[in-house]
Amino acid sequence: MYKSNWGRALATIATLATGLLSSGVQALSITQVSVDKQVFEPARGERARIRFVLDEPARVALTLYDGRDHLVRVVEGGEVAAGAQQLSWDGLDLHGHPVPAEAYSYTLSATNNERSVTHDLTDLTGGALVEVADVRWDTDAGQIRYHLSEPARVSIRLGLKAGGPLLRTLLDWAPRPGGAQAESWDGWDESQVLKIDAHPRLNLAVTAYALPQNTLFVGERPQRVAFADLPAEKRREKNTTGPRTKRMYHHADQPLERRGDIATRLSLGIDAERDSEGRWRVSGTVPLRLHVAQKDRARLLAQRFEPVFYVDGIFAFENEVGFLPMTWQWDSRRVSAGEHFVTVNVRGYEGNFGTATLKLWVERPPAVPES
């Protein structure tokens, strides 16, 4: 898939060049583009240097964009001679502020005598699913280890096998360079009430899709997508060769700002007390309220979603058409007295998830003495 995208990019560039030559216009070209440091740390004074070759003199510029295609910075190179050249980026944005740790794309442009050319692989490469190999939980190091065949955005979700719930999103489409990876995990679920690192049904779900070949990684490894405060009207023009069919659950097709998982919370719809271990003491029918963070409500309600409830990791109830606000009336008499965990998963139609867990202590009312 990756080689196929690269071949398509070369074919598109070749077609454009052939069209210019056949019309009698000699194409200005940018070739042999390379980066000396794809991952760099501006806080340590590092820069990313992009090297390239011009076939004739031209005015050149290096332009940086974030994952939304918002303009981050323009580095003007001025008039340069034909031959080998380079431009560099220091990791600052349009306002001179350091950009968040994230992945950024770059383009190169050259102009002379009313002719111009742009080197931009953003829409021509990337987007394909990436092979994730050697996924394992390293108990001693407290790390999830895996290997990426190429730079990618990565999702790591932790849950239980055999139809069990999602219990935590550890990486939410965070960018990573290719190669061996190690992500620290404390072993707890999203709500910090359930330790699952030694659970016999532990499931490590690692998914990734390729980043474009013109990607730069800035700063330390982020856990979530991050954006600088940049003007939305300054965007990169898309370079597509035809209409694209929307693919369900294909995360690379979603706008990056809507791609993440849903911040979810569970609460009790009744007054209850906690015991010394933080468990809610309940009995009989227990109303469980589903909450979605205000920042996520609009995008969740704009798609179909399903709230799914689990008791002690086993499916208990599903509402196939989700709505907010929502309360599930759980009959705690169906389980034994003692400690139990109730988990909700919000499953969005576009592949977004949310999860939350409550730790409960189910009591039985005292028996009525016989008269």
Side-chain angles (χ1 to χ4, degrees), residues 62-74 89 92-95 99-100 102-107 120 122-123 153 226-238 255-258:
L62 170 68
T63 307
L64 292 307
Y65 298 91
D66 69 11
R68 303 165 297 180
D69 287 324
H70 288 195
L71 177 65
V72 173
R73 179 81 177 274
V74 179
W89 180 40
L92 301 182
D93 66 14
L94 291 167
H95 311 297
V99 298
E102 248 291 347
Y104 299 85
S105 62
Y106 67 88
T107 69
D120 181 5
T122 313
D123 299 316
R153 283 197 179 272
F227 300 118
D229 183 13
L230 299 167
E233 65 273 13
K234 295 183 178 181
R235 301 176 67 96
R236 184 185 64 87
E237 292 186 11
K238 293 284 187 181
L256 187 57
E257 57 269 37
R258 298 206 304 268

Side-chain angles (χ1 to χ4, degrees), residues 272-300:
E273 295 182 352
R274 291 180 188 263
D275 63 15
S276 59
E277 296 188 26
R279 301 171 295 202
W280 294 103
R281 305 179 74 92
V282 298
S283 63
T285 299
V286 183
L288 296 165
R289 292 178 176 171
L290 168 64
H291 305 269
V292 171
Q294 192 62 38
K295 66 181 180 65
D296 293 327
R297 284 177 64 90
R299 68 186 176 99
L300 180 63

Side-chain angles (χ1 to χ4, degrees), residues 75-310:
V75 179
E76 299 285 356
E79 293 274 358
V80 298
Q85 301 292 340
Q86 74 172 27
L87 292 171
S88 66
W89 180 40
D90 55 9
L92 301 182
D93 66 14
L94 291 167
H95 311 297
H97 302 147
V99 298
E102 248 291 347
Y104 299 85
S105 62
Y106 67 88
T107 69
L108 288 167
S109 60
T111 305
N112 70 359
N113 300 325
E114 299 182 352
R115 287 178 291 166
S116 63
V117 64
T118 299
H119 175 88
D120 181 5
L121 300 178
T122 313
D123 299 316
L124 302 175
T125 59
L129 287 176
V130 168
E131 178 185 356
V132 182
D134 304 324
V135 179
R136 63 186 178 90
W137 167 235
D138 186 337
T139 305
D140 294 335
Q143 293 178 324
I144 295 171
R145 299 186 183 274
Y146 59 101
H147 188 278
L148 294 174
S149 57
E150 60 187 281
R153 283 197 179 272
V154 181
S155 166
I156 299 181
R157 291 170 174 152
L158 311 170
L160 301 182
K161 297 177 182 177
L166 164 72
L167 291 167
R168 183 165 182 176
T169 298
L170 187 67
L171 279 194
D172 202 4
W173 300 116
R176 292 291 184 265
Q181 311 290 327
E183 314 291 350
S184 296
W185 176 40
D186 59 8
W188 289 90
D189 74 321
E190 196 81 29
S191 301
Q192 295 289 300
V193 299
L194 189 59
K195 199 92 160 52
I196 59 172
D197 56 330
H199 199 290
R201 290 166 55 202
L202 176 64
N203 184 40
L204 309 177
V206 185
T207 309
Y209 68 86
L211 284 162
Q213 294 176 10
N214 54 327
T215 294
L216 299 173
F217 296 87
V218 178
E220 298 294 332
R221 297 157 60 92
Q223 301 298 110
R224 297 286 189 273
V225 172
F227 300 118
D229 183 13
L230 299 167
E233 65 273 13
K234 295 183 178 181
R235 301 176 67 96
R236 184 185 64 87
E237 292 186 11
K238 293 284 187 181
N239 180 11
T240 55
T241 57
R244 295 183 63 183
T245 302
K246 184 175 176 59
R247 296 164 289 184
M248 191 169 67
Y249 298 125
H250 200 278
H251 297 282
D253 291 348
Q254 283 185 291
L256 187 57
E257 57 269 37
R258 298 206 304 268
R259 199 171 298 161
D261 279 350
I262 307 296
T264 306
R265 183 171 62 87
L266 268 182
S267 71
L268 296 179
I270 54 173
D271 291 332
E273 295 182 352
R274 291 180 188 263
D275 63 15
S276 59
E277 296 188 26
R279 301 171 295 202
W280 294 103
R281 305 179 74 92
V282 298
S283 63
T285 299
V286 183
L288 296 165
R289 292 178 176 171
L290 168 64
H291 305 269
V292 171
Q294 192 62 38
K295 66 181 180 65
D296 293 327
R297 284 177 64 90
R299 68 186 176 99
L300 180 63
L301 290 169
Q303 60 180 292
R304 178 177 173 178
F305 68 96
E306 301 171 349
V308 186
F309 288 84
Y310 301 81

